[in-house]
Amino acid sequence: MLSALLIMAGIALVLGAALGYASIRFKVEGDPLVEKIDAILPQTQCGQCSYPGCKPYAQAIANGEADINQCPPGGEEGIRALADLLGREFKPLSEEHGVEKPKAVAFIDEQTCIGCTLCIQACPVDAIVGAAKQMHTVVAPLCTGCELCLAPCPVDCITMEPIRETVENWKWKYPVVEIRKAA
Amino acid sequence: MITKLFNFHGGVKPDPHKAESADAPIRPAPLPPMLVVPLRQNARSQAHCIVEVGDKVLKGQRVGDAEGMLGTAVHAPTSGTVREVTEHPMAHPSGLSTHCVLIEPDGRDEWVERTPLDYLKAPRAHALAFLRDAGIVGMGGAAFPSHIKLGKGSGIDTLIINGGECEPWITCDDRLMRERAEGIMAGARILFDLIGAKRVVVGIEDNKPEAIDAMRTASAGLEVPAEVVAVPSLYPAGGEKQLIRVLTGIEIPHGKLGSEYGVQCFNVGTALAVHRAINFGEPLISRIVTLTGNVARPANYEVLIGTPVEALLPLAEPRPDTDRFILGGPMMGFALPDLRVPILKGSNCVIAASPALFPSPQPELPCIRCGACARACPADLQPFELYWYARSRNFGKAQEYNLFDCIECGCCAFVCPSHIPLVDYYRFAKSEIWARERDLMASDKARERFEFRNFRQEREKEEKAARLAAKAAETKAKLATREPAEDNLAAVPSTEAEDPKKALIAAALARAKAQKAVVAPRNIDIDTLSPEQQAEIEAIDARRKSSANAPEAPGKAPADSSPPAQVPATESDEATRQ
């Protein structure tokens, strides 16, 4: 009887020690869920979700403060991916946060630009180059199309140009069965 | 020597249709009125244009410099004048435009100075750069840069020269091997040396006996171990992995390349182009194109790169019931969306299609899971699984089933009893996956830049705070040392002087006052104005009054019109001048 108790207590001690060691040795740093959500978000950093960037929105989703349908650039596909990841129901994009648009990049009309640097300060990804009283220009491959530079521009010289289809980014279309008239 | 041949899995035997054009010798195509030389020869890279409109160019002169890792140079195919550098439709299934150099030939066909390269004496890197600048790309269709395929110059055991030409209708490589076997083998010799191989194997389908004979004769003169092997005619025996399998027995695993297993393939056309470039200094400016299908005169032409397809078609005389033109073979080619497109380095064949020769596809029926596609697949894939996943846009699963090992040969669609355009689904899935990868890369970059910007703003804030704190401490120390003796502080009541902040403000005010006193006399004295100045002021006043009466005049103007406001008057004058 006593030896059985001692053996059980011994096993409990050993296992407890092993678990305790493992919890310290293999501790996971940070919240991996936030990282996973952040990986799905499009990194436009546009703030349309009402959070200052994609990471804060990911954090808010992880904390249960924000819903998964507040990201217009991510669109329906992004919401589906988030729903999959978090095991939630899919819901359509919330209208108050905006609508899904084709991808575009900012373009500065260099004739009108007065070189006020306001757009440079607004750009979340440093994709605008220029200096005070010098013409500014957008580095198109780095532009995320967040539109944050549109509002600060005092002369409204920034427009959003949809990304053109080229041989490099052209995609094969989904095969559609052609309906033909019977001969 | 008798080599043991192996079999690859699957494959189909479509009607070869080689006889139509196989007996037509290669003839030079006439010079078109305008050559459209695309700076982009494939979807991967674009050359950087180095000529301007109006420039006179010679045959073989470089018009585009290689740009990027996979870039190769582009050359003028004949002498003439650059008329335009503009967007022009490209031979691509999308029908989209790309940058092209439009050259109007002068008819003299005058060569630029040609310098051959002694590649055995030159450093290897120099020889590869020479090939890149000669614009040598794979001529089997994909137009992949050859200097990249030559790799590091080690680890390759077998060099395969691909004379398979397994697609129906096409005979350009067949004619090339019959007529220019010596050149091909000379090119193979160069590739052999540059890649550091131990033997050369030429694989030719056994339905081209004349080509096999010609290549055997040519290879006899080569000082390196070379062998010409007839491989069974079975589509797609000319596919890289399939030919490697047949000739060497090596089965390349999914997701790997032949070069990782000591084998590298080059097309016969590429070998000839390498020979012309190294031994004669001639860049790649022409290729052999088969014109066949529903035409009166099927033929093989040596065509300058950049010749529009519409300029070639009259040579073959398409029959009136032709409804479309296919670029490439019937299995892997695509219907040309526009006949103005120029011939590229990878364009091997133009087929005139008629409803009788190429009946339009039958309606797609549901997949019955018969497995015929899996039996036909030469890449050992499960096409029906890929089809399910591509169709339902489950791209992750499609990739798990090795979608990217699909060579789009079309065998599966060829045998499908339900007439499903399987390859179209795979192409759709592949381009969607690529687009997603591009988006992912862009978003990773954006995240990095966003985080760096936040870090930078934080750092700048801290630096500014530190700077201000240091400055405040400095002034405080300064004030403490020269407290009562300072004359600036004399005016300040002693109670305030005890508070350093207030003392600072007082000092600043005193400084400002002193500065104002210095600046003030610079203004013109109103009483000692010259008559001209007086007249000018009056004129300005009159102008301002009249503009104040105008409807769109700013509301501020009337307030300034009081007589003693001399300084504001000049200001507003400057404003009106501006």
Side-chain angles (χ1 to χ4, degrees):
Chain A
M1 177 65 192
L2 186 68
S3 63
L5 276 175
L6 280 176
I7 288 168
M8 293 311 282
I11 292 173
L13 274 174
V14 170
L15 290 180
L19 282 173
Y21 172 74
S23 76
I24 296 163
R25 177 71 180 75
F26 303 110
K27 190 170 166 40
V28 177
E29 289 294 334
D31 190 348
L33 185 61
V34 176
E35 298 294 328
K36 278 185 199 162
I37 297 173
D38 195 41
I40 291 173
L41 297 177
Q43 305 301 321
T44 321
Q45 318 294 358
C46 60
Q48 288 184 77
C49 54
S50 73
Y51 291 90
C54 295
K55 194 75 172 273
Y57 178 45
Q59 187 76 53
I61 295 178
N63 295 346
E65 293 157 13
D67 216 334
I68 56 169
N69 63 346
Q70 301 183 2
C71 177
E76 196 189 303
E77 210 183 307
I79 300 172
R80 282 196 194 281
L82 285 174
D84 262 4
L85 175 71
L86 302 168
R88 294 199 207 163
E89 262 323 287
F90 168 80
K91 46 175 86 175
L93 186 65
S94 114
E95 273 175 25
E96 60 176 300
H97 292 102
V99 285
E100 201 176 339
K101 284 185 232 171
K103 274 188 90 174
V105 289
F107 173 77
I108 295 180
D109 177 12
E110 289 159 2
Q111 299 302 314
T112 325
C113 175
I114 53 170
C116 68
T117 76
L118 288 177
C119 57
I120 296 183
Q121 292 161 38
C123 180
V125 290
D126 288 336
I128 304 179
V129 286
K133 294 189 182 169
Q134 305 289 321
M135 179 191 79
H136 300 347
T137 196
V138 176
V139 185
L142 299 179
C143 177
T144 64
C146 68
E147 303 189 3
L148 289 179
C149 50
L150 298 190
C153 180
V155 288
D156 284 337
C157 70
I158 310 181
T159 46
M160 298 306 291
E161 302 282 326
I163 294 177
R164 260 185 58 205
E165 199 171 43
T166 63
V167 177
E168 257 169 338
N169 66 15
W170 175 81
K171 293 194 283 189
W172 283 89
K173 304 291 172 284
Y174 190 76
V176 184
V177 184
E178 229 176 288
I179 298 170
R180 275 172 298 129
K181 238 195 257 174
Chain B
M1 188 167 69
I2 294 165
T3 322
K4 181 189 181 323
L5 289 183
F6 300 81
N7 290 321
F8 62 89
H9 176 263
V12 294
K13 282 197 173 181
D15 201 350
H17 283 290
K18 300 269 191 192
E20 279 86 341
S21 55
D23 293 325
I26 300 169
R27 276 178 293 164
L31 216 53
M34 187 71 85
L35 281 161
V36 183
V37 185
L39 290 165
R40 175 189 292 286
Q41 291 290 331
N42 57 37
R44 298 176 207 97
S45 67
Q46 181 165 338
H48 163 73
C49 184
I50 53 168
V51 287
E52 277 172 30
V53 175
D55 282 3
K56 291 257 185 287
V57 287
L58 294 175
K59 183 175 185 159
Q61 184 182 334
R62 215 184 299 165
V63 297
D65 256 342
E67 203 165 57
M69 243 271 287
L70 297 177
T72 47
V74 178
H75 303 78
T78 186
S79 58
T81 315
V82 177
R83 284 284 170 235
E84 238 180 312
V85 179
T86 181
E87 298 271 303
H88 190 91
M90 178 186 168
H92 189 263
S94 66
L96 288 170
S97 297
T98 187
H99 264 301
C100 298
V101 179
L102 273 65
I103 299 170
E104 189 183 347
D106 59 11
R108 287 204 292 271
D109 216 26
E110 211 177 309
W111 269 100
V112 74
E113 195 194 332
R114 286 164 282 179
T115 41
L117 178 80
D118 189 354
Y119 70 98
L120 289 173
K121 290 215 181 88
R124 194 171 173 278
H126 185 86
L128 296 196
F130 186 85
L131 290 180
R132 182 194 65 206
D133 293 338
I136 309 290
V137 295
M139 300 186 70
F144 190 84
S146 300
H147 66 279
I148 304 284
K149 273 179 94 173
L150 284 170
K152 295 190 298 288
S154 62
I156 300 295
D157 187 56
T158 310
L159 170 69
I160 293 180
I161 299 298
N162 188 345
E165 194 164 64
C166 53
E167 270 221 65
W169 294 98
I170 310 176
T171 56
C172 61
D173 286 354
D174 185 5
R175 289 309 313 184
L176 201 69
M177 288 185 285
R178 289 194 208 183
E179 298 180 26
R180 301 179 193 177
E182 301 283 336
I184 295 169
M185 289 320 286
R189 172 69 209 265
I190 297 168
L191 289 169
F192 172 89
D193 287 330
L194 285 177
I195 209 163
K198 293 188 181 67
R199 61 177 184 142
V200 181
V201 183
V202 184
I204 306 170
E205 271 197 350
D206 56 12
N207 59 5
K208 302 186 239 318
E210 295 94 338
I212 295 171
D213 285 346
M215 291 294 281
R216 285 221 166 109
T217 317
S219 72
L222 221 60
E223 305 105 64
V224 296
E227 194 183 351
V228 178
V229 182
V231 301
S233 302
L234 177 68
Y235 180 81
E240 183 167 354
K241 285 187 177 179
Q242 287 68 36
L243 192 61
I244 291 173
R245 168 77 187 151
V246 171
L247 292 175
T248 67
I250 299 170
E251 210 163 332
I252 313 290
H254 291 308
K256 302 272 186 189
L257 295 171
S259 56
E260 294 171 57
Y261 292 84
V263 193
Q264 190 63 283
C265 273
F266 287 93
N267 176 267
V268 285
T270 316
L272 183 66
V274 168
H275 162 64
R276 300 302 305 178
I278 298 271
N279 293 338
F280 295 91
E282 289 174 14
L284 177 50
I285 50 167
S286 69
R287 68 155 297 130
I288 316 299
V289 179
T290 304
L291 303 178
T292 183
N294 189 34
V295 294
R297 290 205 272 160
N300 290 291
Y301 281 98
E302 176 151 19
V303 179
L304 296 178
I305 306 299
T307 306
V309 169
E310 61 185 355
L312 284 179
L313 292 176
L315 302 174
E317 295 166 25
R319 295 205 179 90
D321 61 334
T322 301
D323 60 349
R324 63 190 194 282
F325 292 92
I326 297 169
L327 187 76
M331 302 292 281
M332 295 183 69
F334 56 90
L336 281 173
D338 190 332
L339 290 184
R340 289 174 298 153
V341 301
I343 291 291
L344 299 176
K345 290 175 184 174
S347 317
N348 46 12
C349 181
V350 179
I351 305 175
S354 66
L357 272 179
F358 297 95
S360 48
Q362 296 186 43
E364 184 180 334
L365 297 170
C367 170
I368 55 169
R369 290 220 159 211
C370 60
C373 49
R375 280 194 295 279
C377 181
D380 291 297
L381 299 171
Q382 292 174 22
F384 52 92
E385 296 283 3
L386 292 174
Y387 161 67
W388 289 123
Y389 293 124
R391 192 188 151 99
S392 59
R393 295 185 162 84
N394 193 345
F395 302 125
K397 258 322 213 191
Q399 261 178 298
E400 272 176 41
Y401 278 86
N402 299 308
L403 172 67
F404 282 98
D405 268 26
C406 169
I407 55 170
E408 301 176 20
C409 63
C411 288
C412 51
F414 183 80
V415 298
C416 181
S418 292
H419 316 294
I420 302 171
L422 291 158
V423 181
D424 290 358
Y425 283 98
Y426 309 149
R427 284 172 170 165
F428 157 73
K430 282 184 186 179
S431 60
E432 281 296 326
I433 292 168
W434 281 323
R436 253 153 244 236
E437 264 167 26
R438 275 198 302 271
D439 284 353
L440 205 65
M441 258 155 70
S443 78
D444 280 347
K445 211 183 230 171
R447 183 188 296 119
E448 204 176 287
R449 294 180 71 81
F450 178 64
E451 278 167 8
F452 177 73
R453 177 178 179 266
N454 287 349
F455 161 76
R456 194 196 67 218
Q457 281 181 334
E458 205 58 39
R459 189 189 62 200
E460 276 169 5
K461 217 190 256 170
E462 275 167 23
E463 279 172 359
K464 200 174 171 188
R467 221 170 35 240
L468 285 176
K471 211 169 174 186
E474 196 184 313
T475 1
K476 208 169 170 182
K478 222 170 170 179
L479 284 171
T481 52
R482 52 173 190 184
E483 212 182 331
E486 202 58 58
D487 49 353
N488 270 2
L489 297 179
V492 181
S494 59
T495 44
E496 285 182 11
E498 281 161 21
D499 187 350
K501 211 168 186 179
K502 276 186 184 159
L504 220 59
I505 294 168
L509 278 174
R511 262 202 315 278
K513 219 173 187 175
Q515 209 162 24
K516 211 172 178 184
V518 176
V519 172
R522 281 193 201 157
N523 287 337
I524 303 158
D525 195 350
I526 292 174
D527 302 324
T528 58
L529 281 177
S530 64
E532 297 96 86
Q533 281 171 325
Q534 193 66 46
E536 200 183 347
I537 289 168
E538 271 160 19
I540 291 161
D541 273 348
R543 203 161 59 230
R544 194 175 57 239
K545 268 177 195 148
S546 65
S547 74
N549 293 338
E552 66 270 78
K556 206 181 155 196
D560 290 345
S561 55
S562 53
Q566 194 256 337
V567 177
T570 40
E571 273 174 6
S572 80
D573 179 41
E574 269 169 25
T576 43
R577 271 184 208 165
Q578 276 172 0

